[in-house]
Amino acid sequence: MEITQYLNPVKLSIPVKETGCSIFEHTFFLKPGDDVDVTQFQIAFLGVTDDRNSNNPGTSASASTIRRYLYNLQIPSKTTNFIDLGDVKDGASINDTYFAIGEIINFLEKANVFIIIFGASQEMILPILIATSSKQNSKISI
């Protein structure tokens, strides 16, 4: 399955301290056309920018804000491989965005990759729960 059709690549415009042990320095950034075996990664980052049903204006920028701080954190283990998938594209309708989130989650769960989703608003919790609720051993933390 090609999940890059649902994703916009990360646009980094943040200063990151290069220390040799930051999450930034140990993250692969997925770009369109990359042929990557996601099973080589333990943790995937996924940003959500769609804020159409949010009562909180400005949540569309929250994924970028979170990345600014995330990438300066120290890696928990040198054996942990990270992949940043980018941000989910806003669909033609909010339901299209929900569908894309579900497809990405299903793809990553089949590959046994832990997913960290950030950005947007509480509106996105429902599609995340729906995508994970059908899995018997699925673990979710909100």
Side-chain angles (χ1 to χ4, degrees):
M1 176 187 173
E2 181 58 46
I3 61 169
T4 57
Q5 66 182 329
Y6 301 119
L7 300 167
N8 287 321
V10 174
K11 293 179 184 141
L12 290 177
S13 59
I14 54 175
V16 176
K17 300 173 201 155
E18 293 194 22
T19 62
C21 57
S22 70
I23 289 177
F24 174 78
E25 294 167 286
H26 294 270
T27 299
F28 177 83
F29 294 90
L30 186 68
K31 295 177 281 318
D34 283 345
D35 184 24
V36 177
D37 176 12
V38 295
T39 61
Q40 67 181 328
F41 302 98
Q42 289 78 42
I43 299 175
F45 300 126
L46 178 64
V48 180
T49 59
D50 197 329
D51 64 354
R52 282 179 274 195
N53 283 355
S54 174
N55 291 331
N56 188 2
T59 57
S60 62
S62 58
S64 294
T65 302
I66 291 167
R67 280 187 178 98
R68 181 178 321 134
Y69 296 97
L70 172 70
Y71 288 131
N72 281 305
L73 295 175
Q74 192 168 355
I75 58 172
S77 165
K78 291 192 181 203
T79 60
T80 304
N81 294 315
F82 302 93
I83 183 169
D84 193 324
L85 301 172
D87 296 327
V88 177
K89 290 180 182 176
D90 293 355
S93 73
I94 193 72
N95 288 330
D96 293 334
T97 303
Y98 296 161
F99 177 81
I101 290 170
E103 290 293 296
I104 294 165
I105 289 171
N106 289 330
F107 176 78
L108 293 171
E109 282 189 336
K110 286 177 186 169
N112 203 29
V113 177
F114 185 82
I115 312 156
I116 297 176
I117 303 171
F118 48 79
S121 68
Q122 293 180 11
E123 168 68 23
M124 296 301 157
I125 292 175
L126 184 60
I128 293 168
L129 288 174
I130 290 170
T132 57
S133 66
S134 62
K135 313 298 182 288
Q136 244 181 341
N137 295 324
S138 194
K139 295 177 185 167
I140 187 165
S141 179
I142 299 174

